[in-house]
Amino acid sequence: MDFTEYFTQVFNDYTLRTITLGTAILGAISGMLGSFAVLRKQSLLGDAISHASLPGIALAFLLTGIKSTDVLLAGALISGLIGTYWIRGIVKNTHLKSDTALGLILSVFFGAGILLLTFIQKMPDANQAGLDTYLFGQAATLVESDVWLMSLVTGVSLFLVMLFWKEFKLNLFDADFAHSLGFNTKFLDLLISSLIVIAIVLGLQTVGVILMSAMLLAPAAAARQWTHKLGAMVILSGIFGALSGIVGTAFSASGDNLSTGPVIVLVAACFVLLSFIFAPGRGLLFRELRYRKNRNDLEMNKTLAFMYNIAKGHENISHPHSVRILNNFRGYTRKSLKKLIDKEYIRVYNNMWSLTDKGFRQAVNMYNQSEDSYE
């Protein structure tokens, strides 16, 4: 199936439509909430919570004996919330930093989850098969009810983010000031962390425990390169996440036996790479262009400053003696000389160049500004 055929069938084929909508919604909610994790400098939070949810999936199956998606995700949600609470408790009650607490919870919970899955696989009941798909995800198992659940959770999450937008924003950038104004910063932290946990749990079935943190962080990291405003970053993160889901699903459906989750993550990584290179504000390409422009301007100003130092000692800046001294100067480049000509700071006649009145005044202004900055 090629891309044209895919986009033709996506409106008619139930499976393709369900998977595409599910991955788009998951990418959007993950990207938007991931913006808060990135700006809070808790990039490992998504990784820790997704890994912490694995033992919840295993325990939910052991306690109920069924593989219902709702039951397993409920177990993952409880386990993820417990992991989040333990992370906060470790940071609050010990001298360990948040990154240490995140790594500790990630390792312990994931190890416990793998141990439980190994135990389940050795059970004589054949009903346990398929739980390991939550490690890497299996988007093909999405059904319409899952998409409706994702839509409902996304709507509720957006409502809560909009309702507490000012509080979230203030707590994100200056928690001490927010606390001094009377806001319950602990509640705000717990609320945004809970929303992130819910978004991660929703993505376990599609992307899996291992890769879910990339869905949370990659769109936000890409959006961060394009803007300095929180609102714009949240919107861009949602767009990048949704596009990652749609394009990744299209690639997966167009290829042979390509897992949807990993392809979606790779597409999100491409958005990050393109943003790192081409973003106007922080992109490597524009940074290099600005560096070269500043270097050329510096060379031009250096040449103009030398001309000024020569010309200010002569009453006539176009006197042949001044012109001869200027033309013996070799501390310039062709680009800087051309810039000076284009700006009419110097004139060239018979391969000889001299300083103009406009260039002299510009050099005087440049020196005056330099002296004022030192004062």
Side-chain angles (χ1 to χ4, degrees):
M1 181 189 302
D2 56 18
F3 277 102
T4 305
E5 186 179 358
Y6 166 79
F7 285 107
T8 301
Q9 293 188 9
V10 73
F11 297 101
N12 302 318
D13 188 274
Y14 168 82
T15 302
L16 285 180
R17 183 174 65 251
T18 301
I19 295 174
T20 302
L21 287 175
T23 54
I25 294 172
L26 173 64
I29 187 63
S30 300
M32 287 185 290
L33 294 177
S35 300
F36 294 94
V38 170
L39 293 176
R40 293 167 74 188
K41 298 180 179 179
Q42 293 182 334
S43 299
L44 276 176
L45 179 63
D47 209 16
I49 295 174
S50 61
H51 284 72
S53 63
L54 185 60
I57 295 173
L59 286 173
F61 173 78
L62 287 174
L63 293 175
T64 62
I66 58 177
K67 291 194 302 180
S68 170
T69 301
D70 295 338
V71 173
L72 297 181
L73 291 184
L77 177 61
I78 295 173
S79 181
L81 290 174
I82 292 173
T84 304
Y85 178 78
W86 282 13
I87 291 171
R88 291 172 56 86
I90 291 173
V91 174
K92 181 180 178 181
N93 299 313
T94 68
H95 297 289
L96 298 177
K97 300 295 183 181
S98 60
D99 57 344
T100 306
L102 290 169
L104 184 63
I105 294 299
L106 182 155
S107 303
V108 171
F109 274 67
F110 187 65
I114 293 296
L115 185 63
L116 289 173
L117 287 180
T118 303
F119 173 75
I120 291 173
Q121 289 174 355
K122 294 181 180 180
M123 293 173 60
D125 185 6
N127 190 40
Q128 89 283 3
L131 287 182
D132 55 347
T133 58
Y134 283 92
L135 287 174
F136 298 101
Q138 191 172 11
T141 60
L142 287 175
V143 295
E144 190 173 354
S145 59
D146 297 328
V147 176
W148 280 111
L149 177 62
M150 288 182 177
S151 302
L152 177 62
V153 173
T154 300
V156 173
S157 299
L158 284 177
F159 173 76
L160 291 175
V161 169
M162 294 175 63
L163 182 64
F164 294 97
W165 177 256
K166 292 182 180 179
E167 291 82 355
F168 282 153
K169 188 175 182 180
L170 184 59
N171 186 53
L172 181 64
F173 294 106
D174 197 338
D176 293 333
F177 182 61
H179 182 71
S180 67
L181 293 178
F183 293 113
N184 190 340
T185 55
K186 293 183 179 180
F187 169 75
L188 295 174
D189 286 336
L190 184 61
L191 179 59
I192 194 64
S193 297
S194 299
L195 293 177
I196 292 174
V197 172
I198 293 173
I200 290 172
V201 170
L202 283 178
L204 294 180
Q205 183 181 1
T206 306
V207 181
V209 169
I210 304 297
L211 299 175
M212 187 55 210
S213 61
M215 285 297 297
L216 195 73
L217 302 177
R224 184 68 182 92
Q225 304 302 309
W226 294 88
T227 182
H228 297 283
K229 296 182 179 180
L230 177 60
M233 179 180 174
V234 171
I235 294 174
L236 282 175
S237 297
I239 293 173
F240 287 149
L243 288 176
S244 299
I246 295 172
V247 176
T249 303
F251 272 114
S252 176
S254 302
D256 295 329
N257 298 322
L258 293 178
S259 298
T260 305
V263 175
I264 292 175
V265 171
L266 289 177
V267 172
C270 289
F271 279 114
V272 175
L273 180 61
L274 292 174
S275 299
F276 282 168
I277 296 174
F278 296 107
R282 299 184 174 189
L284 297 177
L285 176 62
F286 287 89
R287 184 183 302 176
E288 178 65 20
L289 293 176
R290 285 195 303 270
Y291 168 76
R292 294 192 177 191
K293 180 181 181 301
N294 292 335
R295 185 178 61 184
N296 292 335
D297 290 343
L298 180 62
E299 291 176 349
M300 184 192 73
N301 290 332
K302 182 178 68 174
T303 304
L304 185 61
F306 176 82
M307 295 178 179
Y308 169 74
N309 288 326
I310 297 299
K312 71 178 182 179
H314 298 79
E315 295 181 0
N316 183 4
I317 59 177
S318 298
H319 190 277
H321 179 62
S322 300
V323 172
R324 187 164 53 253
I325 296 175
L326 292 175
N327 281 271
N328 288 331
F329 174 57
R330 292 293 178 266
Y332 64 87
T333 62
R334 290 180 180 271
K335 285 185 178 180
S336 63
L337 198 61
K338 188 177 184 305
K339 274 192 172 184
L340 290 169
I341 295 173
D342 293 340
K343 293 178 176 291
E344 298 181 350
Y345 291 161
I346 66 172
R347 68 169 62 93
V348 177
Y349 182 73
N350 290 335
N351 293 326
M352 300 290 289
W353 41 280
S354 59
L355 193 65
T356 65
D357 292 331
K358 182 180 179 181
F360 188 84
R361 290 193 300 270
Q362 173 66 20
V364 171
N365 292 333
M366 184 174 64
Y367 266 84
N368 289 338
Q369 291 176 2
S370 177
E371 291 176 357
D372 292 340
S373 64
Y374 280 108
E375 294 176 357

